[in-house]
Amino acid sequence: MVTKFRPSLHLALVAAGALLTLAPAERADAKPMHLKSLGEHYGTFLAGRLNQCGTCHLPSTTGKAPESLADLPHNPFGKRLAAVLEELRQAGKATDFSTRLRAVGGQDSDGDGVPNRTEILTGHRPGDPTDRPSPKELAGYGKTMTRFAAYASTYRWRPFQPVRRPAVPKVKNASWVRSPIDAFVAAEHERRGLKPRPPAPKAVLLRRVYLDLIGLSPTPEEQRAFLADSSPSAYEKVVDRLLASPAYGERWGRHWMDVWRYSDWTGYGEQVRDSLPHIWRWRDWIVESLNRDKGYDRMVVEMLAADEAYPTDADALRGTGYLVRNYKLLSREKWMQDVVDHTGQAFLGLTVGCARCHDHMYDPLSQKEYYQLRAIFEPHQVRTDWVPGETDTKKDGLPRAYDAKLDAPTYLYVRGDERQPLKDTPLQPGVPEALGDRLQVEPVELPLWAHVPEKQPHVIRDLRAASTERVLAALKEVEDGGPPEKVAMARLRLEAAEAAQAALDAVLRVESLEDAGQRVSEEWQQAAQDAVVQQRRQAHAEAALNKAVATEALAKLEKANPPAKPDALKKAKDALAVAEKALVAAEKQLKDPGTTAFKPRVTSNFPATSTGRRLAFARWLVNPQNPLTARAAVNHIWLRHFGKGLAPNPADLGRASLPPTHPELLDYLASLFSTPATIPPSQGGRGQRAGEREQFAISNLQLSIVNTSGHFPTGGLGWSMKRLHRLIVTSNTYRMASTPETANLAKDPDNRYLWRMNSLRMDAEIVRDNVLHVAGQLDRMMGGPEIDQHQGLSVKRRSLYFRHAPEKEMVFLSTFDGPNPLECYMRKETIVPQQALALANSELALVQSRLLARDLTKQIGADQQRFIHTAFERILSRLPSPAERSECLQYLTARRSGAGKTVTTAATAPADGSKPSADPAQRAREMLVLVLLNHNDFITIR
């Protein structure tokens, strides 16, 4: 369907000289993206005069700008491209623009005797027989074609084509190549005349990889052990130990929480408007999944469709917190928009949101395809299930996704306006044709516990436990004794509690028979009759208790001094009358004949079938043939190791963004990452797929080292992030020093081609965590409910456990450019005075500097030289230079009060570090520690 609603868009494109369309009008495939595709194919060989509609289209016959780009008729060249598109599509072959251009390059579309490619390379229109190259241009064509062929043979970044693993290049600097990563990087070095920097000093490298992998600096003991280890595998052993550390999941969990837009709930007062309470369970799922090295493919499936793939697995269901996070009470429309747009950006690196109002300007995504993506998510809703040990979901629960309205229609909105849906053409779920394959949607029949969660064993167990607890509490009240009227009331409460327990047991017995398919059995008849009897006894016991309570309340009012108000007395009398009437009715029911019409428990009864749309979509995403998923994931991981992605914009790998600096390397890693791997039986038990494994010995795979024959591994990483981390951090590219070099700076001042390691500033969470860590005060307890963001300066847990939501951010973290909870595919970085003030004057920095100085003094005593030495080791992970040692010693000496004054343990200062020491010498040490916390080397990862 062609929707004519874009005249302003068309005029803007014409004004920018950026209108070109090369597909058949009847398919509405005319898109500005084809201009960029033509430029990408021919590069600088494309003449400026061909950047016009006329390359493929005839002029408008009306003299007016067309309302739709498809209204311009094709010239012969455009018609031939359109025909080739259909031919390739019917043959099941690639239909990308470059393939079509190559297919028609040797043909003569306009019949002027000159092939299309020749006309384009000589700057003439291949669809206009009157626009023909001159003899002189044709004579020089051979040289042009030779140069173009050389250009065309270079590796091209084609993000919408399936990933193919490029060959590892052979380079002159082969001795520098430790891993395939180094070979690709070295090839760019040699192409651009760059020389790699030498390896970073061991102390620098150790701190780098510690902060990178676990977010905490090495202790002095760890530093000394590494510096003393001269074995060839000393560094690899450190890497393996860090990847096996629980802190790895916390560090990298925060990275992925950025990408997946983690947010705790927000609302007005107690009203939940965005996200849901208890979504911290999704955060814990992220951390635990990373620590188990759960495959990225499995993680994607669990986040998008665990309720369909693993409907009774509570651990997996936590992953659907990804969908819960998008919940919006006040706008279902914004909810759907967020889940579609950010799913495209997070998992595909594709700005699908650009197609909400019109066909994508640059990427192969139509507006119709955008709403087909939306149809995948249209039926879903969110809810909170019970968790073991708690029957009140307001106190605790499992927020999760499910399909609520299976037949929910999806319409295309004119101009993206929800007030203008095209209701005559509801859309089926689908994926962009340009990304290959189609959704294989099959409805999912859900097990009982998934659609009636109240029947889960732990829910029933907790209901019974709560009932027993009420009985025991009432029994204790009776046994405690007291005045006769108090004991009588306690007995009534006990009778009511016991009756309720008996009724619950009876109803649960009927439920179990029904769930086993025995509803018409004689056993069910007897159980149902017993349930009716027990429920009537419960009603009678509760009515008797209510009458006694109402009687007691009225008596108190009648005896009150001063006398109770008339309206209060009337209310009490009315309540007693109601209670008496209920008791009479309950007594009557006890005498009625038995029936099977028991009152079943109130249950949710969610749909017993799920559409299967999200599961099909998740599986499509992680199919290795999907061209974008692995590329996007690898680029995110590279970005957080090096501070820059191989592709500059991690949320947009499409044509509107700059291409990768190392496209071959990105594709190599994406192919390696998504290729299945089989775990040796000694490690995995059954050689299972990587996405289903538990923790194993990463080092046994030896993926980062060239083997003895000099070849690189040909297998895959099986979506294992730990394997990919190891491959990256053990490369020489990662191990380089971050120091500058004059000649390289002149050629590549921004280090785009990785001739040195980038110096990075600590993330906000790592700044705070390490202030606590170096002081020995960091609380390493993992997981659990979010902590109030206002307690960030006093509670010593890691930063990712604090509440993080719009208007609920820790000030210290936001000062250091913490993540934006609305969107944070790549963190911004600022340098502002508030950051220096936070490290110099905040309660956190002041208290921790005092506690650290006190701890070092207890260890070292009065030896100032050792104090300085150990403080540098602890805070900066290095030793002081002679100049630094001298200056620090001079400072400590000058701040001492009186000759021969010795340092004490500051016993006069509060133990919590809230006040500075009264001892001038100890106070000087506290200030020196504070200075080191403010040192550039503390917040910088070199």
Side-chain angles (χ1 to χ4, degrees), residues 739-811:
T739 51
E741 197 273 334
T742 304
N744 285 346
L745 280 172
K747 297 173 184 176
D748 182 19
D750 295 326
N751 191 32
R752 297 182 70 232
Y753 297 100
L754 302 169
W755 51 268
R756 66 169 173 170
M757 186 62 179
N758 293 312
S759 291
L760 306 175
R761 192 184 71 182
M762 285 181 178
D763 290 341
E765 296 86 353
I766 308 307
V767 174
R768 178 186 169 278
D769 291 353
N770 276 276
V771 170
L772 292 164
H773 173 62
V774 298
Q777 298 294 312
L778 183 63
D779 182 348
R780 300 296 294 274
M781 186 178 79
M782 298 180 67
E786 73 274 16
I787 306 165
D788 191 306
Q789 72 275 14
H790 299 298
Q791 298 180 15
L793 298 181
S794 55
V795 174
K796 299 173 182 178
R797 296 280 303 282
R798 288 199 75 161
S799 300
L800 83 161
Y801 296 118
F802 286 82
R803 186 174 297 120
H804 182 69
E807 301 182 6
K808 294 181 180 180
E809 300 174 66
M810 191 193 302
V811 174

Side-chain angles (χ1 to χ4, degrees), residues 681-793:
S682 61
Q683 299 299 330
R686 298 187 182 88
Q688 66 267 42
R689 286 183 60 238
E692 300 170 348
R693 70 187 171 281
E694 296 291 337
Q695 178 64 43
F696 60 94
I698 306 288
S699 59
N700 285 359
L701 299 169
Q702 293 296 318
L703 282 170
S704 63
I705 308 296
V706 181
N707 62 28
T708 55
S709 63
H711 297 104
F712 294 104
T714 57
L717 303 181
W719 299 98
S720 164
M721 282 187 268
K722 285 192 177 183
R723 293 179 176 185
L724 181 56
H725 289 309
R726 191 177 197 274
L727 183 65
I728 290 172
V729 302
T730 56
S731 69
N732 275 335
T733 301
Y734 181 88
R735 298 191 201 195
M736 281 190 291
S738 60
T739 51
E741 197 273 334
T742 304
N744 285 346
L745 280 172
K747 297 173 184 176
D748 182 19
D750 295 326
N751 191 32
R752 297 182 70 232
Y753 297 100
L754 302 169
W755 51 268
R756 66 169 173 170
M757 186 62 179
N758 293 312
S759 291
L760 306 175
R761 192 184 71 182
M762 285 181 178
D763 290 341
E765 296 86 353
I766 308 307
V767 174
R768 178 186 169 278
D769 291 353
N770 276 276
V771 170
L772 292 164
H773 173 62
V774 298
Q777 298 294 312
L778 183 63
D779 182 348
R780 300 296 294 274
M781 186 178 79
M782 298 180 67
E786 73 274 16
I787 306 165
D788 191 306
Q789 72 275 14
H790 299 298
Q791 298 180 15
L793 298 181

Side-chain angles (χ1 to χ4, degrees), residues 849-850 852-868 871 875 888-889 891-893 895-896 902-905 917 919-932:
S849 64
R850 294 163 187 160
L852 175 53
R854 182 179 305 158
D855 182 46
L856 294 179
T857 296
K858 288 180 181 178
Q859 293 179 32
I860 293 165
D863 189 330
Q864 302 285 47
Q865 293 273 13
R866 282 191 61 204
F867 181 90
I868 295 167
I875 300 170
C888 291
L889 185 59
Y891 170 78
L892 292 178
T893 303
R895 291 293 297 266
R896 290 169 60 184
T902 59
V903 179
T904 72
T905 58
S917 172
D919 179 352
Q922 181 64 24
R923 175 65 174 148
R925 287 186 166 190
E926 294 173 357
M927 294 306 296
L928 175 60
V929 168
L930 182 63
V931 167
L932 293 182

Side-chain angles (χ1 to χ4, degrees), residues 600-627:
R601 280 193 305 139
V602 177
T603 57
S604 304
N605 292 317
F606 297 107
T609 301
S610 193
T611 63
R613 296 179 183 184
R614 287 178 286 110
L615 179 58
F617 177 66
R619 288 173 173 166
W620 172 82
L621 274 177
V622 298
N623 187 319
Q625 291 303 306
N626 187 303

Side-chain angles (χ1 to χ4, degrees), residues 815 831-838:
T815 300
I831 300 176
V832 294
Q834 290 89 335
Q835 293 163 356
L837 292 171

